């Protein structure tokens, strides 16, 4: 069955169609959850919660966006809800992998690890509304339009928050003498 047929069948109560649909996205759902939760246990729990929410809300999916976009939004929002409930300020815990060199030079790698730790620390200091935007744009590499749809805000708001978040991050990095 094609994805559209699977969705329609699942919306009509076909659990097997929902299972087939989710199995195509299971790894992506977990990976999204892991990027927010930063540990395997919490990521598995968040991914499971997101799948349950998708199942419960699938009838509301109206095909106005791609299913993958809807799935991403449900997963991201589930993770954000969990993090808010825990009052965690660690929605992203690892920019290190993005900037760390793996060229075998221990001095360079140690310096990059130190820089990565400093960046992580400063990101945690950002206001909560900026953290998911930074994750989606600078870690996930998503487009402004995708972020706007996921966060349910305008593209202009996404752009201004990214700009403000980067400026605040730059100020923190300079203040902490990381840069």
């Amino acid at each position: 069955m094609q994805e559209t047929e699977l969705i329609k069948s699942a919306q009509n109560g076909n659990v097997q169609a929902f299972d087939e649909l989710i199995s195509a996205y299971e790894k992506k759902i977990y990976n999204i959850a892991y990027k927010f939760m930063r540990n395997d246990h919490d990521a598995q729990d968040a991914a499971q919660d997101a799948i349950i929410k998708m199942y419960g809300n699938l009838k509301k999916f109206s095909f106005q966006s791609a299913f993958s976009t809807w799935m991403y939004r449900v997963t991201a929002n589930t993770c954000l809800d969990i993090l808010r409930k825990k009052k965690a300020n660690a929605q992203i815990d690892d920019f290190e992998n993005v900037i760390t060199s793996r060229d075998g030079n221990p001095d360079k790698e140690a310096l990059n690890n130190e820089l990565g730790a400093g960046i992580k620390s400063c990101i945690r200091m950002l206001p909560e509304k900026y953290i998911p935007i930074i994750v989606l744009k600078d870690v996930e590499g998503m487009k402004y339009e995708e972020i706007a749809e996921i966060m349910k805000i305008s593209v202009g708001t996404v752009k201004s928050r990214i700009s403000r978040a980067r400026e605040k991050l730059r100020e923190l990095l300079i203040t902490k003498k990381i840069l």
Side-chain angles (χ1 to χ4, degrees):
M1 261 193 251
Q2 297 286 65
E3 184 173 272
T4 302
E5 293 169 347
L6 282 173
I7 295 167
K8 287 179 181 178
S9 182
Q11 286 177 324
N12 289 323
N14 183 338
V15 177
Q16 185 177 356
F18 180 78
D19 287 344
E20 191 175 330
L21 184 64
I22 290 301
S23 70
Y25 288 100
E26 203 166 26
K27 187 173 182 178
K28 183 68 176 167
I29 292 167
Y30 171 81
N31 288 338
I32 293 164
Y34 188 84
K35 289 204 164 127
F36 280 92
M37 308 309 292
R38 300 312 304 161
N39 71 68
D40 181 60
H41 177 71
D42 289 344
Q44 285 182 13
D45 287 349
Q48 187 64 38
D49 287 353
I51 291 168
I52 291 167
K53 284 183 182 178
M54 284 178 225
Y55 182 76
N57 292 298
L58 189 60
K59 288 185 180 189
K60 295 178 185 176
F61 178 71
S62 61
F63 296 92
Q64 291 188 1
S65 64
F67 180 78
S68 60
T69 301
W70 182 78
M71 176 271 312
Y72 195 108
R73 182 174 52 237
V74 171
T75 305
N77 287 337
T78 300
C79 292
L80 291 172
D81 289 345
I82 291 168
L83 289 168
R84 279 186 201 109
K85 285 178 187 172
K86 289 182 174 186
K87 294 184 180 180
N89 199 16
Q91 293 166 352
I92 97 154
D93 195 24
D94 193 4
F95 262 68
E96 199 168 307
N97 291 335
V98 176
I99 62 169
T100 300
S101 165
R102 300 289 181 218
D103 65 3
N105 181 334
D107 292 336
K108 187 176 182 181
E109 204 166 308
L111 182 62
N112 281 339
N113 285 341
E114 198 174 305
L115 179 60
I119 292 171
K120 289 187 301 188
S121 172
C122 289
I123 288 171
R124 287 190 200 115
M125 294 177 188
L126 290 173
E128 187 176 317
K129 69 181 180 180
Y130 295 138
I131 296 172
I133 299 281
I134 289 288
V135 171
L136 296 173
K137 181 64 177 156
D138 293 337
V139 175
E140 289 289 320
M142 297 185 83
K143 296 178 182 174
Y144 295 120
E145 295 79 13
E146 294 172 308
I147 297 169
E149 190 171 340
I150 288 165
M151 300 298 295
K152 295 183 180 178
I153 56 178
S154 72
V155 172
T157 301
V158 170
K159 288 179 180 180
S160 67
R161 284 188 186 174
I162 287 171
S163 177
R164 286 186 198 122
R166 287 176 178 162
E167 183 58 35
K168 287 185 182 293
L169 183 58
R170 190 176 304 110
E171 289 170 7
L172 285 167
L173 291 168
I174 291 169
T175 301
K176 301 279 185 193
K177 297 183 183 191
I178 295 169
L179 286 182

